Amino acid sequence: MMLQYLALAAILFAIGIFGVLTRRNAIGILMSLELMFNAVNINLVTFNKFIVPDNLTGQIFAIFVIVIAAAEAVVGLAIVLLLYRNWQGIDIGNINIMKW
Amino acid sequence: MLEHAYLIPVYPLLAFVIIIFATRWNEKLSSGISIAAISIGFIHSIFVMIAVIGRHGVPFELSVPFIEHPLITLETGIFIDPLTAVMLLVVTIVSGCVQIYSLGYMHGDPRWSRYFSYLSLFTFSMLGLVVANNFFMIFIFWELVGLTSYLLIGFWFEKDSASDAGKKAFITTRIGDLGFIIGILLLATYAGTLNYQEVFTKVADGVIPVGVLTMIGIFIFCGAVGKSAQFPLHVWLPDAMEGPTPVSALIHAATMVAAGVYLVARSMTLFVGSAEAAMTVAVIGLITSFMAASIALVQNDIKRVLAYSTVSQLGYMIMALGLYGFDVAKDPHSHSVGYFAGTFHLMTHAFFKALLFLGAGSVIHAVHTNDVQEMGGLSKKMKITSLTFFIASLSISGIFPLSGFWSKDEIVAATLGHPVFMFFTLLIAFMTAFYMFRLCFLTFTGKPRNQERFDHAHESPKTMTMPLMFLAFLSVFAGWVGMPWLSHGFSSFVYSGELQHHGPNYIVMLVSTIVAVSGIGLAYTVYFKKKISADVLMEKFKPLYTLLLNKYYIDEIYDKVIIKPLLAFTRMMWWSDANIIDGLVNFVGWFTIKWADAKMWFDKYIVDGAVNGAGAVCMAASWLFKYVQNGSVQFYTLVIITSAVGVIIYRVTPEGFLYYFIGVVVVALARFLMKMNRPEEGNVETEPEG
């Protein structure tokens, strides 16, 4: 059964990476990031359940990740807001101030 | 008044400061201040004298530590004993007379105020020297009188001879002062103090080894040799006559040159402690005295005759002091009168020699020449001057009952027991009488030898004749305080109350009088009656005459033996400086420049080349690699993920990694080329909306 769970997580993670790399919308990138977090959470819970079912380490870790992800989302959205104010848009294709 | 005796030197110092800084432009006021200061000093000195007599020889000392150090304490203070009191009176009297006299003599001089300020400075230094209570202070004032002497000899510095004479005097006395300071340092090392009384106590206790004491005595005597113009450093004094005549009278006859005698008298304890040192002093004194007296016989410059006379008389005093030290060193209960004779002659000599110089100044003022061969018959025109000059000449020759008689008599008495000294002392007395009266007769009697100068001659103004008369009075009577019949006269006074009285020695008196009278008689025969022609005598003793006229060629010997080799040596040093040292320095400079050029080339092409080369390489590399830095976060993420995947693949199948890597590179290149072909796409900043 473990394989299906891990496959699900892998698929989710791949979708997340694809989103991060290809979305031009900053909000979309943030959402893809959430997908990747959740893929990791699934992995954690899966390993907990099938390898060390007697303790809750993986579960607790997943909850931590969710909490931190919420905080990260706040920061990310704040950045997006500032991007919008400064570039009058959130298309990250236009944001290239770190270019050479 | 004794507690405030330190004020005596301060009055002329104040006068000096005021004249230099405030009243220089008011000539009358300047001279007035100077004379007022010395007058106050004189009155104060009288009170000090009375107080000292009241103390019956107990010295008064007041001192303030100046520099305190574990090894030695330098102090500033005053020490007043009978000798000091006498010197204070002598200095203030002569200085006062000379300053008043200068009012007439220096009339119309363009540097009048400066002249009086220098006189005040000198008086300050001399009084300071006299009241000092330690060797450190006496040395400071010693140098100060040397400085003022230099300033005043060279007062008419427009004349080359005057400025040269000033330099000569300063440098020659410096040689003696070098010895003096060595003596002081030795004393400080061995006695641990410089205070007179402490030093003398230690010497009397025998703390200092006799050999060292001899060295100290001779070194300190070196100072006296320089300042008192003793052989072999006597050469400066005759040249010092280039200064104004009142200065010659004050500094180079009566006071400063007496400082050396004062020093020997003051340090008598040292010489009593070492018979060898004392004998050295006595012999130097005798040589000087005899040599100077013989030179004075033939000189024609009125001031030079007096200068050599001064040297001769100073030698007298030094000799008497030396003999006293020798006698007492040999026999502590000796009845030598040398100390008394030296100090007594110091006092009487100051008066009659000042008078002689001022008289000579009066004559020079009248006839405008120093050459006695152009004078003659002046007594008709200058009654007061000639009369006072005759009195002074009688006094210096030692004719009863003038003051010179008493002191010279004591000097002869001091040589009792030393036949050689006695013979020469009497011979010198004879020569002194002869040359003084030769001078008198040539100047004041006979026919005028230069009618033009004679016609212009006139008696000097009252400001000049008054001091002459006052000093004439002293030349007659000042010696009476030392008459041998007085049981509490000068003799017991300078011996600090110890009664060393000894009755008059009539034989000595008689002999010295006969000698003096015969000297005068010879001068009378040759130069007044002209029974013996001076020219015939001159021809007869031609070699001796030439030798004396050229002052034993001592200046020439110094020139040949010391000055010429010294000059040659310094020229050689200059040459080596100019060629070797400068050459070395210039070579170092040249080499440094060349070396710096080489280093500059290295810096410019090698170091800078490396730096610039590195920069150029970076620029070239970045032309390609800058495209990696495209500013897109997503591109960076792609690189990270691709690399992470690469790492994983490498861990699993290292062979597969190669294919993966090639694939990635191919895709990346393809994308890159596509991007190059579609420039600007996606790189254009969007226009701000609205």
Side-chain angles (χ1 to χ4, degrees):
Chain A
M1 282 301 283
M2 190 175 156
L3 192 63
Q4 286 89 323
Y5 288 101
L6 288 182
L8 173 65
I11 290 164
L12 271 180
F13 195 79
I15 292 170
I17 285 181
F18 184 76
V20 167
L21 292 183
T22 54
R23 303 292 302 188
R24 309 208 73 164
N25 189 326
I27 300 288
I29 293 174
L30 278 181
M31 286 162 69
S32 308
L33 272 176
E34 292 299 325
L35 274 183
M36 286 160 74
F37 285 136
N38 285 324
V40 172
N41 284 348
I42 289 170
N43 264 5
L44 288 169
V45 173
T46 310
F47 287 127
N48 187 42
K49 181 173 168 57
F50 291 101
I51 295 171
V52 281
D54 294 338
N55 68 36
L56 292 172
T57 324
Q59 310 277 359
I60 299 297
F61 221 92
I63 290 169
F64 256 112
V65 172
I66 290 165
V67 172
I68 301 298
E72 178 270 334
V74 171
V75 174
L77 283 170
I79 292 172
V80 170
L81 206 58
L82 283 174
L83 286 180
Y84 180 73
R85 286 199 189 155
N86 286 298
W87 276 267
Q88 282 78 32
I90 50 176
D91 184 342
I92 60 163
N94 295 334
I95 301 163
N96 58 355
I97 52 168
M98 280 165 75
K99 196 174 179 179
W100 66 79
Chain B
M1 294 303 268
L2 266 181
E3 306 81 64
H4 299 296
Y6 62 85
L7 284 173
I8 297 176
V10 171
Y11 305 129
L13 176 66
L14 279 179
F16 166 71
V17 172
I18 292 172
I19 293 171
I20 280 291
F21 289 109
T23 65
R24 249 169 85 181
W25 295 271
N26 189 335
E27 297 192 338
K28 283 224 164 63
L29 192 58
S30 298
S31 50
I33 288 170
S34 183
I35 291 169
I38 194 64
S39 309
I40 296 168
F42 170 58
I43 292 163
H44 199 152
S45 302
I46 294 176
F47 281 110
V48 167
M49 183 55 129
I50 293 167
V52 168
I53 292 172
R55 289 171 72 93
H56 297 291
V58 181
F60 172 82
E61 187 170 4
L62 185 77
S63 80
V64 183
F66 179 53
I67 295 171
E68 283 185 332
H69 186 268
L71 287 176
I72 196 159
T73 300
L74 297 180
E75 48 189 16
T76 172
I78 57 172
F79 177 83
I80 296 185
D81 70 347
L83 183 58
T84 310
V86 172
M87 286 300 289
L88 283 178
L89 269 182
V90 169
V91 173
T92 48
I93 288 172
V94 177
S95 183
C97 287
V98 163
Q99 294 201 5
I100 293 166
Y101 178 91
S102 299
L103 290 176
Y105 191 85
M106 299 302 281
H107 187 74
D109 194 278
R111 290 190 292 274
W112 170 283
S113 297
R114 198 192 292 187
Y115 174 79
F116 276 93
S117 72
Y118 286 170
L119 280 187
S120 286
L121 182 63
F122 167 75
T123 313
F124 154 69
S125 320
M126 189 64 205
L127 291 170
L129 189 153
V130 169
V131 300
N133 78 329
N134 59 65
F135 283 102
F136 174 67
M137 243 176 101
I138 202 175
F139 185 74
I140 292 174
F141 286 110
W142 190 266
E143 293 302 330
L144 267 175
V145 290
L147 168 71
T148 44
S149 166
Y150 165 76
L151 291 173
L152 284 165
I153 293 171
F155 186 71
W156 288 322
F157 52 78
E158 297 93 341
K159 270 197 303 182
D160 279 349
S161 59
S163 62
D164 286 349
K167 280 183 276 184
K168 185 173 181 182
F170 195 75
I171 293 168
T172 314
T173 51
R174 285 297 310 152
I175 296 169
D177 293 348
L178 179 68
F180 188 21
I181 200 165
I182 292 172
I184 289 175
L185 294 177
L186 274 175
L187 202 57
T189 314
Y190 279 89
T193 174
L194 288 176
N195 182 287
Y196 288 150
Q197 284 183 308
E198 290 172 24
V199 166
F200 298 150
T201 314
K202 291 204 171 174
V203 170
D205 291 348
V207 175
I208 305 173
V210 178
V212 176
L213 200 56
T214 307
M215 272 171 69
I216 292 174
I218 290 175
F219 275 128
I220 286 184
F221 180 58
C222 278
V225 167
K227 205 63 99 196
S228 285
Q230 299 296 293
F231 177 82
L233 298 181
H234 64 282
V235 289
W236 66 269
L237 187 57
D239 286 15
M241 297 304 137
E242 291 293 341
T245 308
V247 168
S248 305
L250 175 61
I251 302 183
H252 307 114
T255 56
M256 186 191 83
V257 292
V261 181
Y262 171 80
L263 180 69
V264 175
R266 175 57 77 212
S267 341
M268 187 44 80
T269 318
L270 300 176
F271 297 104
V272 167
S274 162
E276 289 81 4
M279 205 20 138
T280 312
V281 172
V283 169
I284 293 281
L286 185 67
I287 293 174
T288 311
S289 188
F290 177 75
M291 202 176 70
S294 57
I295 294 172
L297 292 175
V298 300
Q299 296 295 318
N300 279 327
D301 183 323
I302 184 167
K303 282 181 78 181
R304 273 177 191 266
V305 172
L306 293 177
Y308 280 110
S309 164
T310 305
V311 175
S312 172
Q313 298 297 311
L314 290 167
Y316 247 29
M317 301 171 209
I318 296 267
M319 180 195 71
L321 291 172
L323 284 177
Y324 172 81
F326 183 75
D327 285 345
V328 176
K330 289 287 174 209
D331 172 19
H333 303 292
S334 148
H335 287 290
S336 175
V337 291
Y339 186 75
F340 157 58
T343 50
F344 187 32
H345 200 56
L346 174 59
M347 179 181 90
T348 56
H349 173 259
F351 295 135
F352 58 66
K353 189 46 69 64
L355 174 54
L356 283 172
F357 266 105
L358 295 186
S362 180
V363 170
I364 294 166
H365 194 63
V367 298
H368 300 289
T369 177
N370 284 7
D371 191 349
V372 283
Q373 299 296 354
E374 298 196 17
M375 301 176 190
L378 287 172
S379 62
K380 291 178 204 98
K381 288 215 165 185
M382 309 178 74
K383 290 237 156 41
I384 299 171
T385 305
S386 58
L387 187 64
T388 52
F389 202 88
F390 265 99
I391 290 172
S393 300
L394 286 171
S395 191
I396 192 174
S397 304
I399 298 299
F400 180 84
L402 281 75
S403 62
F405 170 75
W406 309 106
S407 55
K408 181 158 283 185
D409 191 41
E410 295 296 341
I411 287 179
V412 176
T415 61
L416 283 173
H418 304 279
V420 177
F421 281 90
M422 186 150 197
F423 171 73
F424 277 105
T425 306
L426 290 173
L427 185 59
I428 293 161
F430 173 78
M431 291 195 286
T432 308
F434 176 78
Y435 67 67
M436 280 318 302
F437 276 89
R438 168 179 175 265
L439 198 61
C440 282
F441 292 138
L442 282 177
T443 309
F444 294 110
T445 65
K447 281 188 194 139
R449 282 181 293 277
N450 185 326
Q451 196 62 41
E452 195 188 338
R453 290 192 189 279
F454 180 78
D455 291 341
H456 283 103
H458 57 88
E459 181 58 292
S460 302
K462 272 218 167 58
T463 49
M464 288 166 74
T465 51
M466 292 296 279
L468 289 180
M469 288 188 279
F470 180 64
L471 285 171
F473 171 80
L474 285 173
S475 299
V476 177
F477 296 106
W480 290 21
V481 296
M483 279 196 223
W485 297 288
L486 296 173
S487 61
H488 289 284
F490 193 83
S491 166
S492 66
F493 182 58
V494 293
Y495 278 108
S496 301
E498 293 167 41
L499 204 60
Q500 289 223 355
H501 186 64
H502 38 80
N505 190 330
Y506 293 107
I507 300 169
V508 169
M509 281 189 194
L510 189 65
V511 171
S512 71
T513 308
I514 290 170
V515 165
V517 170
S518 56
I520 296 172
L522 183 60
Y524 181 78
T525 332
V526 176
Y527 293 102
F528 191 74
K529 288 283 178 189
K530 299 192 194 306
K531 286 210 169 137
I532 308 169
S533 164
D535 295 330
V536 171
L537 277 180
M538 199 196 296
E539 279 305 315
K540 213 165 188 178
F541 298 102
K542 185 86 182 170
L544 186 63
Y545 175 79
T546 323
L547 182 68
L548 293 181
L549 194 64
N550 288 299
K551 307 151 211 163
Y552 291 102
Y553 295 103
I554 286 178
D555 275 321
E556 284 76 9
I557 292 170
Y558 284 173
D559 189 55
K560 284 263 180 334
V561 176
I562 298 172
I563 298 171
K564 285 266 163 61
L566 193 69
L567 277 177
F569 179 70
T570 49
R571 285 215 183 86
M572 200 185 82
M573 294 312 268
W574 173 78
W575 181 89
S576 76
D577 200 51
N579 290 290
I580 297 173
I581 309 271
D582 282 7
L584 203 63
V585 171
N586 289 339
F587 172 77
V588 168
W590 175 86
F591 180 77
T592 308
I593 288 172
K594 290 293 162 206
W595 181 236
D597 279 348
K599 289 208 282 197
M600 186 182 77
W601 182 88
F602 182 83
D603 209 45
K604 207 168 178 175
Y605 294 100
I606 310 291
V607 178
D608 283 7
V611 172
N612 290 338
V617 169
C618 286
M619 286 288 276
S622 68
W623 176 80
L624 190 65
F625 289 111
K626 69 180 178 182
Y627 295 105
V628 173
Q629 197 83 27
N630 67 0
S632 161
V633 181
Q634 285 178 322
F635 177 73
Y636 299 157
T637 319
L638 180 66
V639 172
I640 293 166
I641 289 168
T642 316
S643 313
V645 171
V647 170
I648 292 166
I649 289 172
Y650 183 77
R651 300 284 295 198
V652 179
T653 57
E655 301 82 18
F657 175 71
L658 188 61
Y659 301 111
Y660 174 75
F661 185 73
I662 291 168
V664 169
V665 169
V666 168
V667 171
L669 270 178
R671 240 189 96 72
F672 178 66
L673 291 173
M674 276 159 64
K675 256 235 163 93
M676 293 285 275
N677 289 338
R678 297 185 283 125
E680 308 307 312
E681 200 261 345
N683 278 342
V684 187
E685 292 194 7
T686 49
E687 291 291 314
E689 284 171 25

